[in-house]
């Protein structure tokens, strides 16, 4: 595969734009501003875990695990490396037609707790290979963790669907998936009130 230095989001040679969960306000944001998170498809077959540093004003730096069951060594450079995840989520309704896939990556304790529980439910479902999870966001629960406070996202696994073609040819890495991308689902027109 050729190297890509494109600054254009999405597509075969671009990067995936982000969506961010702000635990202090239990809100979701993109580069364009706050979005109302209702429901989205989560590509758990390609979820990645590892250590990350999120420094203010800088792009996050990651040391990804070789696989979900093999942990990378924690960098020992004096910076505040924390465990986290990266997962692609898709919703044309929330993010628009042109950039419907967003990467959500974080080391937030509340978010990692929520995603761990949600991933467990997806993984426990029968035959998850080639499937994405349709997930509803039902607000957040204020929680005290250690000396701080956070808002833990309340996710509901609504159903499994064939992995949307919008996720592209990203190799699956989850324990429940295969080592290569699943065939893309045939495109279908969503009903006016339900994208999935």
């Amino acid at each position: 595969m050729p190297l890509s230095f494109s600054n254009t989001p999405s597509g075969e040679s671009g990067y995936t734009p982000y969506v961010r969960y702000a635990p202090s306000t239990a809100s979701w944001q993109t580069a364009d501003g706050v979005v109302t998170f209702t429901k989205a498809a989560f590509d758990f077959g390609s979820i990645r875990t590892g250590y990350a540093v999120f420094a203010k004003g800088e792009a996050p730096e990651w040391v990804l695990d070789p696989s979900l069951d093999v942990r990378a060594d924690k960098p020992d450079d004096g910076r505040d490396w924390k465990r986290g995840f990266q997962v692609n989520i898709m919703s044309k309704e929330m993010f628009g037609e042109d950039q419907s896939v967003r990467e959500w990556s974080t080391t937030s304790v509340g978010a990692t707790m929520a995603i761990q529980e949600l991933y467990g439910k997806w993984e426990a479902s029968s035959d998850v290979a080639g499937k994405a999870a349709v997930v509803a966001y039902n607000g957040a629960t204020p929680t005290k963790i250690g000396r701080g406070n956070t808002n833990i996202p309340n996710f509901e696994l609504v159903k499994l669907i064939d992995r949307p073609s919008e996720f592209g040819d990203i190799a699956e890495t989850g324990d429940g998936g295969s080592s290569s991308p699943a065939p893309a689902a045939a495109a279908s027109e969503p009903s006016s009130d339900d994208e999935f």
Side-chain angles (χ1 to χ4, degrees):
M1 173 178 280
L3 294 176
S4 171
F5 299 106
S6 172
N7 290 318
T8 305
S10 298
E12 290 182 20
S13 62
Y15 64 91
T16 304
Y18 72 89
V19 63
R20 177 179 173 262
Y21 173 70
S24 60
T25 59
S27 62
W28 295 86
Q29 304 164 358
T30 66
D32 298 323
V34 174
V35 295
T36 301
F37 195 122
T38 52
K39 190 167 30 175
F42 281 55
D43 190 14
F44 281 131
S46 67
I47 193 169
R48 304 289 309 265
T49 56
Y51 290 98
V53 171
F54 283 76
K56 189 172 183 173
E58 296 180 20
E61 190 174 338
W62 284 87
V63 174
L64 293 170
D65 298 333
S67 68
L68 294 182
D69 56 355
V70 178
R71 206 181 251 215
D73 292 332
K74 183 178 182 178
D76 186 17
D77 60 6
R79 294 186 291 165
D80 190 21
W81 292 89
K82 295 180 182 174
R83 295 289 296 166
F85 66 88
Q86 299 174 345
V87 66
N88 285 332
I89 62 178
M90 190 274 293
S91 173
K92 293 177 184 176
E93 183 181 307
M94 289 189 316
F95 307 131
E97 293 279 335
D98 294 337
Q99 295 182 351
S100 62
V101 176
R102 301 288 172 137
E103 179 185 277
W104 179 29
S105 63
T106 187
T107 59
S108 160
V109 173
T112 56
M113 290 169 64
I115 208 74
Q116 187 171 26
E117 180 181 344
L118 182 61
Y119 180 85
K121 289 177 182 176
W122 172 79
E123 190 177 39
S125 301
S126 61
D127 194 21
V128 296
K131 300 288 186 183
V134 175
V135 175
Y137 171 69
N138 300 318
T141 302
T143 306
K144 185 168 182 61
I145 297 176
R147 295 181 182 162
N149 297 315
T150 191
N151 285 291
I152 299 176
N154 297 320
F155 291 124
E156 175 189 353
L157 178 58
V158 177
K159 63 183 174 180
L160 299 182
I161 59 171
D162 289 337
R163 187 173 179 265
S165 60
E166 288 84 356
F167 284 130
D169 293 331
I170 301 167
E172 294 192 16
T173 59
D175 291 339
S178 64
S179 60
S180 61
S188 61
E189 289 297 316
S191 66
S192 61
D193 62 341
D194 190 9
E195 180 177 4
F196 301 104

